[in-house]
Amino acid sequence: MSEQPPQSPPPNQPPGYGYPNAGATPPGGANPYGTGQPGPYQQPGGQYGYGYQQPGYPPGAVPPGTYTGDPNAPYGYDPYGRPYSDKSKIVAGLLQLFLGSFGVGRFYMGSVGIGIAQLFTCGGLGFWALIDGVMLLAGNEAKDQHGRILRG
């Protein structure tokens, strides 16, 4: 088999566009598509191969809420990189609103000391329990006993 010299692009087409080596017979002749061209960033697999990055995330980053296999973050990470808890802030807030006089929402979150204080003060005569329940439902900073952000 004779190897053909590389063809120059037509005069109206700039180099680097179109099909590379159009009309050339691939080496071996078995695979008509060859092994592929490297992508724009010299990644193997080309633009849509296995080297393709999901848009919007830097290399190595994990999208929020995906399971990573990390035992410290059983429910993934939030957009700021903080691990999610296995507890829900909606459940904690509703428990605090309806049973906050007994500190049930705080016991659910793992804050035993605050739960006992709410139990002995009847939830701060109801005011502490009401404000705490609203803060749990409206805020994004509630944490469980391990310091992980509550899922919401």
Side-chain angles (χ1 to χ4, degrees):
M1 225 189 251
S2 67
E3 191 172 320
Q4 297 177 353
Q7 299 174 352
S8 62
N12 61 354
Q13 186 178 15
Y17 291 95
Y19 294 107
N21 299 329
T25 306
N31 185 0
Y33 300 108
T35 58
Q37 298 285 329
Y41 301 108
Q42 302 301 322
Q43 295 175 346
Q47 185 177 3
Y48 298 105
Y50 64 89
Y52 179 73
Q53 279 292 322
Q54 187 175 7
Y57 296 105
V62 179
T66 58
Y67 179 69
T68 60
D70 186 3
N72 295 324
Y75 290 91
Y77 296 94
D78 72 346
Y80 298 109
R82 301 175 298 187
Y84 278 129
S85 172
D86 56 340
K87 308 277 196 263
S88 170
K89 77 173 188 175
I90 296 172
V91 172
L94 290 176
L95 284 172
Q96 193 64 25
L97 282 177
F98 294 113
L99 299 172
S101 298
F102 304 111
V104 175
R106 288 297 183 159
F107 283 121
Y108 170 76
M109 290 172 50
S111 301
V112 178
I114 296 175
I116 290 173
Q118 286 183 347
L119 179 65
F120 288 144
T121 62
C122 293
L125 298 176
F127 294 114
W128 184 9
L130 178 67
I131 292 170
D132 203 19
V134 171
M135 293 289 289
L136 284 172
L137 289 173
N140 291 331
E141 299 299 319
K143 298 180 180 177
D144 66 355
Q145 72 268 18
H146 301 293
R148 298 181 294 206
I149 302 296
L150 294 181
R151 293 184 292 130

